[in-house]
Amino acid sequence: MIDQFVIVSYYPAQDFFIHFLFPAEWPVLWGKTKSVRDRVLAIVFSTVGITFGVILVAAAGAAAGLWEWPPQPSSGFGVACGVLGGAIVVFEMLILPRKWLRSRRLGSTRVWMRWHVWMGLLALPVILLHAGFGWGGPLPATVMMLFLLVTASGIWGLIMQQWLPEKILHDIPGESIASQISRLGQYHAEEAGRLIATLVTVPPEAETSEPVVVGPLAAELVAFRDRELVPYLESGISSRSLLAIPSDAQQRFGRLREAVPPAARPVLDRLQELAELRRRWDEQERLHFWLHNWLLLHLPLSVTMTGLMLLHAYRALKFW
Amino acid sequence: MPRSPSRDLSDRYTGRRGYFRNPDRLRRGKYTLAVMALVAAGAWAAVDVTRSSQAAYAHTHGPLTNPHAAFDDNCAACHTSFSWKDAWSGNILNVRDRWHDFTCSKCHAGADHPPFGHHDSATDAAQAIHNRCSNCHHDHRGRLHSLVRLPDADCTRCHKDLARWFDPAKSRAQPPYENSVTHFVNDHPEFRSLNIATKPRTLTFSHAVHMNPGQTYTPNGKEAMTLARLQQWNGPEIAARYRKPGQSDTDLVQLDCASCHQLDSGIGTKEFEKAKTTLESMGAPTRSLLPARAAGAYFLPINYDLHCRACHPTTAMEGQVTSGDQKFIVPRFDVPHRVQPGQLRSLLKAGYVKELIEGGHPALKEPLEPGGRLDSARPPSSAASLEALANELAQRAEGLLLRGANGCTKCHKTIGDPSHPSEYRIVPVPDRTVWLVHAKFNHAAHRGASCAACHPGTQGREITPMEANQPEPVAILGIDSCRSCHSPAQTRVQLPDGSTIPGGGVRHNCTDCHNYHHGDFPLQGRGSPLRFPKNPRDIADWLRGM
């Protein structure tokens, strides 16, 4: 407690409240597990546990005579669940402006994400209780389906976020910024072009008049550069190059290394290193896509669900 | 100086340090789809608000039931709209209450009127439940959903502990018959109507005798009714009505259930024409006595003129009087049915006077006294003589009709002292036209079963006159006979021989037998004036839900 007071005393007033309301010490999931398997299991168990826990509490309340069971959407309890669920959904959507306004000091992203995850998991049983475990009419059913898809995509994303970053860290040494891989491929293609040019041509500042590689071998190196290496470095696996296959690449570079003079072998080593880096980035791109593709579903469906939820609330309050 | 690896990495972004400001394909796709989703949701909302009637389907739990189908797209036809003004009255979360705010009374007036219908003796709290139609009648469950076929829970909410919801001060009858009724099969009392201790039957009738050939106590008994005898009494038309195919005049009359019990008047059928002929041959008013076409669920009441009179005519006895040395026969004549003893003497006297006059009694041949006045205070001796004769005959005939073995009391119960005809009365019949008055039953729906299956003791059999001339016990099987079919499927049913067979499976909800709000006949009987809407509308307004 004393440490906390010492820490918050450095923050402006609004940060005090943010840190009071969103304590950074809370774990995202139970147990602070370290292995991917345990973290994924924690997500699954948290989802199931929160869902059944809240429903059991509600059932106990019904058994105590506080409300009826199964809950009816239009009962006092059902409406309270609807209002709470709606408030949670609105809170969940606040993470969007929080992202847009990341330059403002509105609490750390980590704390926001923790609340986003926990409240999202809590919303599932609350909304199920509100719906009375039913679908309702077309609009409520649509909202419910969207809500379930949003929740499922969120949980899926959460699992991916627990698993793939560690996999990337482990499998992709030399990881780069995913969005810049294409740009970096061009950068490396230019470097590869320059390196091969230094082998087959004589630079102006060179002390000798003979290139390092001459004759048919030089032509083969140029052809290798233009037809295989540069396209692969620029476009990766989509170039359909054999260099994308590790054994083929190893064989290809091995043959070249044996054919060229010893002075040219460091250049070939560098070229092989660039090809391997490109291969890892291809893998990184693939993993990056799976790390983030759930957002293609999660965000648009969230927006639709929120809009239709507000319409449902308006209609329900107007006529029910 | 060698370059550090970090510098090598950094050099990759030379000239593109702001790369993070340019979204990648994933981020662009994410936001593009989000905008499209937002536009789609907005379009849905716009259509919903601007064309609310076309979009109403989106908010319903399902199509309305057939009678309400015209209002599928018109929420406001039934629902009370919630306004923002109400939001500040503290009931914004009280959705259930507002959800029950319907405008049913626009078309269904009177159903919520406290002194009306099934729940008029309910406490205020119970009445509050019943005043909201939708507490029990749930719509939006499809075209074929019945609004009156309710789940048992809607009834047992009160009927599992009726004392809690019953207000004796409001009751016009006895306290609740059964405090707790929760299930037709497991927890339902025997039919109250079958206990006739407090309301005995008022007619003596033996099904056994009437179902025997010739309507005798024993097979081949005396005084058996033959078709020839019937024809002799009533003429060929009536005999033809009771003649079975292939029977000759010497055959005994054989009745069956349908000889008297009819679900339908049968207008347009041969049977109806025969009944009409029967009544016309007796001079009875067919339009009054023949019933109109009925719904067919219940049997039509037995009618003396149509069903009894052929064999049990009410006639005044034949009179034999003397005038001087002459014997004069006064023929028997029909006495109107449905008259009380107080009226009987004067009817008989008038009848005998009429017969004496028409028969040309010798006293009528006596001339008026010379110089006598037509308006004399003293009646002429001939008239006095006839009156005395008629009085005497009427007195004897009255005694036979009231107290004779084949008189009124053969069938009817009486009250009062027979020696004081003015106080002596015949108890009206029928005492019951429908037995299970608190429930509904459809005989036509049960036509597959024999009559005796549910009405034991109504078959022909040997019977003593003593037993036959007592009111019959109730010939309706109790609730267990209903349960043999109206119970959960595969219910074990014990037969009279002690063996059991699987039965059940037919529906057995409360509303399968019980109707409320006088629902079968909303515009007839008690409370019916309240069922008329206060402001009846034309078809256009009705379709608009106004």
Side-chain angles (χ1 to χ4, degrees), chain B residues 362-386:
Chain B
L364 289 171
K365 295 173 183 169
E366 293 179 14
L368 289 174
E369 294 175 10
R373 293 167 55 107
L374 290 174
D375 60 347
S376 168
R378 189 172 63 86
S381 61
S382 58
S385 163
L386 284 180

Side-chain angles (χ1 to χ4, degrees), chain B residues 4-18:
Chain B
S4 73
S6 298
R7 176 58 62 93
D8 277 344
L9 292 176
S10 172
D11 283 350
R12 296 171 180 172
Y13 302 102
T14 302
R16 295 178 60 87
R17 304 286 185 205

Side-chain angles (χ1 to χ4, degrees), chain B residues 32-194:
Chain B
T32 302
L33 288 173
V35 169
M36 290 168 63
L38 186 63
V39 169
W44 186 327
V47 170
D48 193 281
V49 172
T50 57
R51 299 193 168 192
S52 56
S53 62
Q54 285 91 331
Y57 75 94
H59 306 283
T60 68
H61 292 275
L64 292 169
T65 187
N66 267 324
H68 295 158
F71 311 128
D72 255 351
D73 295 337
N74 188 356
C75 307
C78 303
H79 289 273
T80 302
S81 177
F82 181 71
S83 70
W84 292 113
K85 189 172 64 178
D86 301 320
W88 310 116
S89 60
N91 68 347
I92 190 165
L93 293 182
N94 199 11
V95 175
R96 166 150 295 190
D97 270 358
R98 286 190 282 106
W99 184 69
H100 285 292
D101 283 344
F102 287 97
T103 54
C104 311
S105 58
K106 285 194 298 189
C107 300
H108 305 278
D112 56 349
H113 200 279
F116 164 71
H118 173 73
H119 305 107
D120 54 356
S121 57
T123 61
D124 291 344
Q127 200 64 58
I129 293 174
H130 293 118
N131 284 350
R132 287 195 152 164
C133 310
S134 55
N135 279 346
C136 295
H137 304 290
H138 313 292
D139 210 328
H140 291 295
R141 295 187 177 182
R143 286 282 187 267
L144 300 180
H145 175 70
S146 169
L147 288 174
V148 295
R149 184 167 289 165
L150 309 178
D152 285 357
D154 284 332
C155 308
T156 56
R157 178 164 39 180
C158 294
H159 282 272
K160 68 182 175 188
D161 182 13
L162 201 55
R164 184 180 162 203
W165 305 99
F166 175 71
D167 184 353
K170 293 183 180 177
S171 177
R172 289 176 294 189
Q174 65 268 42
Y177 174 69
E178 192 74 20
N179 183 53
S180 177
V181 180
T182 56
H183 194 271
F184 178 70
V185 177
N186 305 323
D187 188 21
H188 190 289
E190 183 53 271
F191 302 138
R192 178 171 25 173
S193 309
L194 304 189

Side-chain angles (χ1 to χ4, degrees), chain A residues 68 72 74 79 136-140 176-177 180 183-184 292 295-296 299-300 303-304 315 317-320, chain B residues 11-13 16 19 26 30 33 37-38 44 48 52 57-61 79 81-82 93 95-96 98-99:
Chain A
E68 60 187 5
Q72 295 294 311
S74 57
V79 175
L139 178 61
S176 184
I177 298 164
Q180 298 302 306
R183 163 79 181 84
L184 295 179
H292 294 285
L295 278 167
L296 292 172
L299 177 65
V303 170
T304 315
R315 281 294 184 189
L317 291 173
K318 182 171 175 59
F319 277 117
W320 287 1
Chain B
D11 283 350
R12 296 171 180 172
Y13 302 102
R16 295 178 60 87
Y19 66 86
L26 264 177
K30 184 174 74 177
L33 288 173
L38 186 63
W44 186 327
D48 193 281
S52 56
Y57 75 94
H59 306 283
T60 68
H61 292 275
H79 289 273
S81 177
F82 181 71
L93 293 182
V95 175
R96 166 150 295 190
R98 286 190 282 106
W99 184 69

Side-chain angles (χ1 to χ4, degrees), chain B residues 281-310:
Chain B
S281 68
M282 297 171 176
T286 55
R287 284 176 185 271
S288 304
L289 294 173
L290 286 174
R293 189 141 219 174
Y298 295 105
F299 283 101
L300 299 169
I302 298 299
N303 184 307
Y304 165 80
D305 299 275
L306 195 56
H307 303 113
C308 313
R309 190 173 173 177

Side-chain angles (χ1 to χ4, degrees), chain A residues 176-258:
Chain A
S176 184
I177 298 164
S179 66
Q180 298 302 306
I181 284 175
S182 174
R183 163 79 181 84
L184 295 179
Q186 289 180 347
Y187 179 84
H188 281 169
E190 288 170 9
E191 181 185 348
R194 280 197 309 275
L195 287 173
I196 289 184
T198 58
L199 294 180
V200 298
T201 58
V202 180
E205 66 276 14
E207 295 173 356
T208 63
S209 56
E210 278 287 312
V212 179
V213 181
V214 294
L217 189 57
E220 184 183 346
L221 266 182
V222 170
F224 170 70
R225 179 194 64 186
D226 296 340
R227 292 176 190 167
E228 294 183 57
L229 185 59
V230 168
Y232 179 61
L233 291 177
E234 284 180 343
S235 306
I237 198 168
S238 62
S239 68
R240 299 178 179 273
S241 168
L242 291 175
L243 296 177
I245 303 168
S247 57
D248 285 1
Q250 181 72 28
Q251 195 178 8
R252 186 80 171 108
F253 279 107
R255 267 197 308 114
L256 286 173
R257 193 179 290 107
E258 286 174 4

Side-chain angles (χ1 to χ4, degrees), chain B residues 357-408:
Chain B
I357 293 172
E358 287 181 355
H361 190 272
L364 289 171
K365 295 173 183 169
E366 293 179 14
L368 289 174
E369 294 175 10
R373 293 167 55 107
L374 290 174
D375 60 347
S376 168
R378 189 172 63 86
S381 61
S382 58
S385 163
L386 284 180
E387 184 185 10
L389 279 175
N391 259 336
E392 183 190 338
L393 290 170
Q395 190 176 358
R396 286 166 52 197
E398 183 189 63
L400 284 174
L401 285 172
L402 292 183
R403 291 177 288 279
N406 291 317
C408 306

